Amino acid sequence: MASQDWFEKDFYAILGVPQDADAATIKKAYRKLARDLHPDHNVGDAKAEERFKEIGEAYAVLSDPEQRKEYDAIRAMSHGGARFAPGGGGFEDIFANFGGGGERVRFTTGGAQPNIEDILGQMFGGGAGFPGGAGAGYPGGFGSTGGPRAGADVAASTRIGFREAVEGSTVTLTSPELGRITARIPPGVKDGQKIKLRGKGRKGDPGAPAGDLILTVSVDQHPVFGRDGDNLTVDLPVTFAEAALGATVPVPTLDGGSVKVRIAAGTPSGRVLRVRGRGVKRGDKAGDLLARVQVVVPQRLTDEAREAIEKMAAAEGAHDPRADLFQRARL
């Protein structure tokens, strides 16, 4: 519901964005501030905690199209020349022509500053002739339909390890506004994926549902494994002899074990060997483990090894492995 705070607080300035900023710009600004001001990084800093609450309030309003429209309308009124001034005459001008010729609503501001909710209640709930009939826009908020208002969605982010993303995990989030929230990360979540936690956002009016928590998951890289969709990838070093003559070699798996694969004689560097069912599991389906062969060239040779390679080179004669490359390059 609109409150007098909306006259006094500049949510755009709080987030450091212009008034015509699009949703993506507002979200980017909020996420940056939220990371910098998060209580976990500013333990005992009361000012940072207060600022964290302010940007949360600002983002909740500006990220909701209906609330933002409502906020902009009320702020436009307050910046249109009318001001709260003691002795009356000023604030009443904001609402002087609402109702299309109906009863003129007047307010005085002598003494205590008026409460905007009371003013809107008199105007839109008391037959002031606002377009749409008495009560249009109140009590659900200025410009909204009547009835209890659902809670706003809240954006949050978390970072998990590569293995946790593949196998699934549970994380605990902490917010000054929402408290501690436990979120289940399903197996196979991808870097940058958004997860919606229904009912974990801001509370709504009595009788209305709470908003959702939109959680963006960032996934750390693994020193050995990569990911291609639901397939896991790994570079598999093999010796020249194994690649040339053929061999059976072990390949590591994400669970800490290993599986053996057959290297066919004459396998070139870059060939991909597929181990079915050892990738990312989603329900009753699983991706594969893709092992890319990397032929390792020895950095140092013994005299015996050098002699053997020289004999092999001599045995190959004038064979040029680049001949086909140059022929295709002329096409």
Side-chain angles (χ1 to χ4, degrees):
M1 181 183 295
S3 70
Q4 190 166 332
D5 285 348
W6 286 13
F7 276 92
E8 301 168 352
K9 293 183 178 180
D10 187 343
F11 291 149
Y12 294 101
I14 289 174
L15 293 181
V17 297
Q19 190 168 347
D20 60 353
D22 58 19
T25 300
I26 290 173
K27 181 178 181 180
K28 181 178 180 181
Y30 167 73
R31 292 180 66 179
K32 181 180 185 304
L33 290 170
R35 285 194 299 267
D36 294 341
L37 297 169
H38 196 282
D40 290 348
H41 304 306
N42 299 275
V43 178
D45 189 336
K47 290 184 178 180
E49 183 175 349
E50 183 61 30
R51 279 280 290 140
F52 186 73
K53 292 180 181 179
E54 287 180 352
I55 65 171
E57 179 186 11
Y59 181 70
V61 173
L62 299 185
S63 64
D64 184 315
E66 291 299 323
Q67 288 199 67
R68 183 178 180 181
K69 182 178 179 181
E70 176 182 341
Y71 171 74
D72 288 344
I74 290 182
R75 289 282 295 179
M77 292 179 187
S78 68
H79 294 158
R83 296 290 186 269
F84 291 105
F91 183 73
E92 62 193 55
D93 295 336
I94 299 175
F95 304 99
N97 295 317
F98 274 110
E103 178 184 355
R104 184 180 178 90
V105 182
R106 301 185 63 85
F107 303 93
T108 60
T109 55
Q113 183 169 294
N115 187 297
I116 185 60
E117 296 177 3
D118 294 338
I119 294 172
L120 295 176
Q122 294 180 50
M123 288 181 61
F124 307 145
F130 186 76
Y138 200 44
F142 179 73
S144 67
T145 57
R149 190 188 196 97
D153 293 347
V154 175
S157 61
T158 189
R159 178 173 290 276
I160 61 176
F162 186 91
R163 189 188 305 274
E164 294 172 315
V166 172
E167 299 176 350
S169 179
T170 300
V171 299
T172 300
L173 310 173
T174 303
S175 165
E177 299 171 274
L178 305 179
R180 292 172 62 87
I181 298 175
T182 299
R184 174 63 182 168
I185 306 298
V189 66
K190 299 178 181 179
D191 183 49
Q193 184 173 335
K194 296 182 184 297
I195 299 174
K196 179 180 287 188
L197 304 176
R198 297 193 179 278
K200 298 293 188 178
R202 292 179 182 272
K203 293 183 179 179
D205 292 341
D212 301 329
L213 178 65
I214 311 301
L215 182 62
T216 301
V217 181
S218 297
V219 180
D220 291 332
Q221 293 185 342
H222 194 280
V224 171
F225 297 97
R227 186 167 173 182
D228 180 10
D230 285 344
N231 297 324
L232 294 178
T233 62
V234 60
D235 288 337
L236 178 64
V238 300
T239 67
F240 173 78
E242 290 171 334
L245 303 176
T248 298
V249 300
V251 179
T253 54
L254 187 62
D255 60 8
S258 66
V259 60
K260 291 187 176 181
V261 296
R262 174 65 184 169
I263 307 292
T267 295
S269 187
R271 176 172 292 178
V272 175
L273 308 177
R274 185 182 297 269
V275 182
R276 298 195 178 278
R278 301 305 293 265
V280 179
K281 294 183 179 179
R282 293 177 183 268
D284 57 353
K285 296 182 179 180
D288 301 329
L289 175 62
L290 306 180
R292 184 182 299 274
V293 173
Q294 299 289 336
V295 178
V296 178
V297 177
Q299 299 297 305
R300 297 173 181 172
L301 296 173
T302 64
D303 292 340
E304 293 80 1
R306 180 179 296 276
E307 182 179 354
I309 293 175
E310 289 174 347
K311 288 181 178 180
M312 184 185 71
E316 289 182 341
H319 172 67
D320 185 358
R322 292 171 293 280
D324 182 61
L325 173 67
F326 280 89
Q327 182 177 356
R328 287 186 288 112
R330 297 188 188 100
L331 296 178

